[in-house]
Amino acid sequence: MTSSSPDQDGASSVASRLEAVRGRIARACRAAGRAPDSVVLTAVTKTQPPGAIDAIRAAGQRVFGENRVQEAQGRWTDRLAAPPRPELRLIGPLQTNKAADAVALFDVIETLDRPRLAHALAAAAGRAGRSPRVLVQVNTGAEPQKAGALPEETDTLIAHARALGLTVEGLMCIPPADEAPGIHFALLRRIARRNGLDVLSMGMSGDYETAIRFGATHVRIGSALFGERNTPQTPSMD
Ligand SMILES: *Cc1c(COP(=O)(O)O)cnc(C)c1O
């Protein structure tokens, strides 16, 4: 077993994929008449081994998304102590009994989708003296199996969360896998505008350029940076 080449190959391919994705984001911004720095790239590190995370941090990436609280704790608690401090964003469904853990770890929670969770987050933030910004996740396709507030419930949930003292920054969606995403991105933007919200977290590896055309401010990208996840949801090695 050679000592260094596999790791170095892995690190350089992550770095070169990061550069390629950044280039495509910049081109999509220019094509849409937007400033290239108007879109934040969230690197989705769920299921990735520690080496991949360290490699992309070394390549300059600072904003990260995780979809499970416990997995994120294992992966990030030590890494948060070492500067530069990354920004951590929760992009997966959150149970109310994990609200306190999520408030302690994440800078942004993108998956507020029901009043009970708004209450749990506000209470946990009060106890912790730390209040992550939140996005409301909208189930734009009204898919029964998918998390997210229904479009017609969203205005009320935003008002409710604001009344509880939560800082609602914007909206997030995951369009149905089998539909053209554009109408879902347009719907999310419409709901955001009428609620005075600026942040739109939409677009993944397969559709982020489309999302940028529809006004995404944050794109959440995993496989285009790290390669395909061959064992989705399996805990990483740490
Ligand atoms: C996994 C995940 C992503 C990244 O998906 P890719 O297709 O690998 O880019 C984005 N958003 C959410 C909510 C996810 O769970």
Side-chain angles (χ1 to χ4, degrees), residues 8 13 15 21-22 27 30-31 42-43 58 66 86 121 131 136 174 181 201 203 233:
Q8 284 178 350
S13 66
V21 168
R22 289 199 177 289
R27 274 195 298 282
R30 277 196 297 275
T42 299
E66 287 280 351
L121 288 172
S131 196
V136 169
I174 308 169
S201 172
Q233 308 305 328

Side-chain angles (χ1 to χ4, degrees), residues 9-22 52 55-56 58-60 225:
D9 288 352
S12 66
S13 66
V14 166
S16 62
R17 280 193 289 248
L18 175 63
E19 200 183 314
V21 168
R22 289 199 177 289
I56 200 164
L225 295 171

Side-chain angles (χ1 to χ4, degrees), residues 89-105:
R89 307 176 70 95
L90 179 65
I91 61 170
L94 178 60
Q95 297 172 285
T96 50
N97 65 7
K98 301 238 174 74
D101 288 341
V103 162
L105 184 64

Side-chain angles (χ1 to χ4, degrees), residues 42-46 48 65-67 90-93 110-111 137 172-174 201 203-208 219-229 233:
T42 299
V44 177
T45 45
K46 65 183 184 197
Q48 295 303 326
E66 287 280 351
N67 69 337
L90 179 65
I91 61 170
E110 298 202 6
T111 51
Q137 181 179 355
M172 177 270 224
C173 77
I174 308 169
S201 172
M204 307 180 13
S205 292
D207 57 15
Y208 65 95
V219 293
R220 310 177 308 268
I221 298 184
S223 47
L225 295 171
F226 298 109
E228 293 299 326
R229 291 177 295 275
Q233 308 305 328

